[in-house]
């Protein structure tokens, strides 16, 4: 016997990424999501139903003036997001949901919304959704210690976890978050070393956000992957002066990996020592297509460019006293000279990123699946993750199943046909360099196919006729109808 909460249905959505100023908001289907929440509240009225928001509900990293984490202004930042006209209907729907008997709302921490670990923010969310109603407030739960949320459905054990807990780039130091909360509650000033951001946060704040001011869609390609460093530099060569920061990010990823390994190990409870490795080099982070034809090692070439970057004053001079090869390589890399056009340079960078790509294969056992499945015990029957923004529905064997609930933000899918050569990529390049969300929303390709995938995902685990059925579905239209199931598993 266990004391886990029991439900007739559990519904999971994740990666809403509510945040950012108008024109840069990556959540588009606000009305659809609000209607979906309303519909969930109304079904199975006599039963017990939970809605799990499985991480990255907010995106405080997209907010201006917050630093790596909003501390003193956390309440103001989250309050602004909930009041934003783009997101307010969702919060109205969630308020109606928790006002109904037999409904439970669970909010799991991600890596873009770590402020929900703070008691002040939790009180704010409860006040927005339930006011002073103690019963409605009791229907709201938070999971902010990196442990996820576990419950049962018809005797099957369901474990929901965001997924960054096994991602060295985006690992939260939950013990440090608790220390920040203690300082806040005690009215103490926060020491400067109380919060050290992970590698993914540094990448977003130090590099990506500056690029996003010009290219609002950059988040949609998940540019923290290695080859996308080249794409960032092609899009905005002024990011060269951030290359020293990228080295630091790579080292921080190694330290994050040690933290993840220690946290998931049953044999090591103590804090791990800092990793000895400095992380991958830029030679490794650039993809093979961009490195093609570069005479000098990419690290030497890029560090030279970073050190001397000022195109309006003079060109960098190489160690041999000439402008030739090092500068030509840099120019070829970024498309400044005729050797490689900017269209071709960006095509190469994205072709590297998509080499042997399996992002949209539902059954691909990606790194998140591998690490999460290794970290959960055999007593767990259904595992539900988010974080990657990529749907998954995988039979783990022995009557156990894994889902990834995808995302509700825009998704861009670059196909091999788009990246085949410079001519085929040119129409894609035109819309990407326009930079605006409006441009990508309106773009159509052959067959009137939209550039942005219409794919808002949800996972449900439901008791039905003596079985427990787990499903991955797409919420479509205005969200008021039944989602379209794309994969399902039954457990007897």
């Amino acid at each position: 016997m266990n004391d886990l909460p029991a439900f007739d249905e559990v519904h999971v959505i994740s990666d809403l990424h509510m945040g950012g100023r108008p024109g840069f908001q990556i959540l588009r289907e606000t009305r659809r999501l609000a209607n979906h929440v309303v519909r969930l509240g109304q079904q199975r009225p006599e039963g017990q139903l939970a809605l799990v928001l499985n991480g990255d509900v907010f995106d405080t990293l997209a907010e201006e003036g917050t630093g790596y984490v909003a501390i003193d202004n956390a309440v103001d930042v989250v309050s602004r997001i909930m009041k934003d006209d783009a997101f307010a209907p969702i919060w109205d729907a969630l308020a109606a949901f928790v006002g109904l008997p037999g409904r439970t709302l669970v909010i799991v921490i991600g890596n873009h919304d770590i402020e929900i670990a703070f008691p002040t923010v939790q009180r704010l969310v409860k006040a927005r959704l339930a006011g002073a109603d103690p019963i409605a407030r009791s229907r709201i739960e938070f999971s902010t210690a990196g442990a996820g949320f576990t419950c049962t459905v018809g005797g099957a054990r369901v474990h929901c976890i965001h997924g960054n807990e096994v991602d060295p780039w985006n690992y939260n130091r939950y013990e440090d978050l608790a220390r920040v909360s203690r300082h806040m509650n005690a009215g103490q000033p926060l020491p400067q070393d109380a919060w050290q951001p992970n590698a993914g946060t540094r990448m977003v704040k130090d590099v990506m956000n500056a690029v996003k001011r010009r290219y609002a869609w950059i988040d949609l390609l998940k540019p923290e992957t290695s080859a996308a460093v080249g794409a960032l530099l092609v899009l905005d060569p002024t990011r060269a002066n951030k290359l020293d920061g990228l080295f630091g990010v790579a080292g921080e990823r190694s330290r994050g990996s040690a933290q993840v390994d220690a946290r998931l190990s049953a044999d090591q409870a103590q804090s791990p020592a800092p990793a000895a490795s400095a992380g991958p080099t830029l030679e490794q982070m650039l993809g093979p297509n961009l490195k093609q034809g570069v005479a000098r090692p990419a690290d030497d070439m890029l560090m030279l460019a970073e050190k001397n970057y000022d195109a309006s004053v003079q060109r960098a001079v190489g160690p041999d006293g000439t402008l030739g090869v090092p500068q030509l390589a840099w120019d070829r890399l970024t498309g400044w000279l005729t050797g490689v056009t900017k269209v071709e340079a960006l095509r190469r960078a994205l072709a590297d990123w998509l080499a042997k790509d399996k992002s949209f294969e539902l059954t691909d056992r990606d790194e998140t699946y591998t690490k999460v499945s290794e970290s959960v015990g055999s007593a767990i029957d259904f595992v539900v993750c988010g974080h990657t923004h990529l749907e998954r529905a995988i039979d783990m064997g022995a009557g156990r199943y894994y889902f990834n609930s995808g995302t509700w933000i825009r998704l861009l899918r670059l196909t091999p046909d788009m990246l085949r050569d410079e001519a085929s990529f040119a129409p894609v390049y035109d819309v990407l360099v326009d930079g605006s969300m409006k441009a990508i929303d309106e773009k159509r390709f052959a067959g009137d196919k939209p550039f942005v995938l219409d794919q808002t995902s949800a996972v449900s685990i439901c008791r039905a006729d003596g079985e427990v059925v787990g499903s991955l579905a797409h919420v479509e239209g205005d969200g008021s109808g039944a989602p379209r199931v794309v994969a399902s598993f039954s457990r007897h």
Side-chain angles (χ1 to χ4, degrees):
M1 182 176 179
N2 61 63
D3 58 355
L4 295 173
F7 300 98
D8 298 295
E9 299 183 6
V10 171
H11 299 267
V12 187
I13 57 177
S14 68
D15 296 273
L16 308 180
H17 287 274
M18 287 184 273
R21 57 191 174 94
F24 295 86
Q25 294 164 346
I26 56 180
L27 172 63
R28 183 173 67 172
E29 303 297 344
T30 298
R31 179 55 58 186
R32 177 184 293 178
L33 178 54
N35 288 339
H36 179 60
V37 172
V38 170
R39 180 181 179 278
L40 291 179
Q42 295 171 345
Q43 66 187 46
R44 209 158 193 158
E46 303 304 319
Q48 296 294 319
L49 183 147
L51 171 59
V52 180
L53 305 183
N54 203 22
D56 286 356
V57 179
F58 300 103
D59 194 339
T60 60
L61 296 182
E63 294 289 296
E64 297 182 350
T66 59
Y68 294 123
V69 59
I71 297 176
D72 295 334
N73 62 337
V75 168
D76 292 338
V77 169
V78 175
S79 179
R80 191 214 71 75
I81 292 172
M82 291 192 294
K83 292 177 181 177
D84 191 304
D85 290 343
F87 312 123
I90 299 169
W91 294 97
D92 291 340
L94 292 171
F97 181 87
V98 300
L100 297 171
R103 313 294 91 159
T104 298
L105 175 66
V106 181
I107 301 178
V108 177
I109 194 171
N111 54 294
H112 282 248
D113 56 3
I114 60 176
E115 289 81 1
I116 67 167
F118 302 155
T120 52
V121 173
Q122 293 180 15
R123 288 193 291 270
L124 172 71
V125 171
K126 285 193 172 186
R128 170 64 176 86
L129 297 181
D133 182 347
I135 296 177
R137 291 173 75 95
S138 71
R139 297 180 184 133
I140 305 170
E141 296 187 23
F142 293 91
S143 174
T144 61
F149 174 75
T150 303
C151 62
T152 63
V153 175
R157 188 173 294 200
V158 180
H159 181 58
C160 302
I161 192 166
H162 181 58
N164 70 297
E165 298 85 352
V166 298
D167 177 2
W169 276 102
N170 293 290
Y171 173 78
N172 292 333
R173 295 183 178 86
Y174 300 98
E175 294 81 1
D176 288 351
L177 270 179
R179 187 153 60 103
V180 172
S181 294
R182 287 196 296 272
H183 278 275
M184 295 172 69
N185 276 350
Q188 295 178 345
L190 192 71
Q192 289 186 352
D193 63 349
W195 179 253
Q196 294 296 321
N198 59 42
T201 294
R202 290 183 57 192
M203 179 69 89
V204 170
K205 280 292 190 178
D206 294 348
V207 181
M208 283 174 49
N209 278 357
V211 177
K212 192 162 58 175
R213 294 188 185 99
R214 174 65 179 85
Y215 304 102
W217 50 267
I218 195 70
D219 281 338
L220 311 185
L221 288 176
K222 295 186 68 59
E224 69 270 24
T225 57
S226 59
V229 172
L232 288 171
L233 293 173
V234 170
L235 287 167
D236 185 358
T238 65
R239 293 296 94 197
N241 64 10
K242 286 289 186 180
L243 290 176
D244 56 341
L246 292 182
F247 279 117
V249 167
E252 179 60 27
R253 184 214 183 268
S254 293
R255 288 186 288 274
S257 181
Q259 293 253 355
V260 169
D261 291 344
R263 189 174 185 88
L264 296 182
S265 171
D267 301 321
Q268 184 177 357
Q270 71 272 19
S271 298
S277 170
T281 65
L282 280 173
E283 177 77 24
Q284 296 167 319
M285 295 176 81
L286 291 175
N289 281 316
L290 277 177
K291 288 189 294 185
Q292 183 180 2
V294 174
R296 292 185 181 273
D299 288 324
D300 293 346
M301 179 266 292
L302 291 177
M303 288 304 291
L304 179 68
E306 187 273 332
K307 182 178 179 180
N308 297 282
Y309 180 77
D310 188 350
S312 64
V313 179
Q314 65 180 41
R315 292 297 195 183
V317 177
D320 56 1
T322 66
L323 289 173
V325 174
Q327 188 58 49
L328 178 61
W330 176 249
D331 286 345
R332 284 172 60 86
L333 182 66
T334 57
W336 290 350
L337 296 181
T338 58
V340 174
T341 67
K342 287 188 176 182
V343 177
E344 175 62 7
L346 184 57
R347 187 196 70 81
R348 289 186 180 191
L350 295 174
D352 283 333
W353 179 70
L354 289 171
K356 299 180 181 178
D357 181 57
K358 295 183 178 180
S359 296
F360 294 92
E361 294 182 12
L362 288 184
T363 58
D364 178 52
R365 301 191 173 207
D366 57 21
E367 186 176 13
T368 299
Y369 164 82
T370 300
K371 290 185 175 180
V372 169
S373 61
E374 290 173 351
S375 70
V376 299
S378 59
I380 299 297
D381 302 300
F382 291 92
V383 181
V384 188
C385 287
H387 184 52
T388 66
H389 299 179
L390 302 172
E391 299 176 333
R392 292 291 182 268
I394 299 173
D395 186 340
M396 300 170 67
R400 303 171 67 227
Y401 306 99
Y402 173 94
F403 291 100
N404 190 300
S405 53
T407 184
W408 279 69
I409 71 168
R410 294 167 172 88
L411 283 176
L412 299 182
R413 183 173 187 178
L414 297 173
T415 66
D417 284 343
M418 293 178 181
L419 296 170
R420 183 175 58 254
D421 52 36
E422 185 172 347
S424 61
F425 181 66
V428 181
Y429 178 86
D430 289 341
V431 69
L432 292 181
V433 296
D434 177 281
S436 68
M437 289 292 187
K438 183 175 184 291
I440 69 164
D441 282 342
E442 294 177 351
K443 181 63 178 178
R444 295 290 189 275
F445 289 101
D448 199 36
K449 292 182 179 179
F451 194 15
V452 177
L453 293 180
D454 185 10
Q455 184 172 298
T456 48
S457 311
V459 169
S460 62
I461 316 292
C462 302
R463 180 177 59 81
D465 300 326
E467 297 181 331
V468 178
V469 179
S471 301
L472 171 69
H474 292 166
V475 182
E476 299 176 332
D478 68 357
S480 60
R484 179 174 61 85
V485 174
V486 295
S488 64
F489 303 110
S490 297
R491 187 177 186 278
H492 302 282

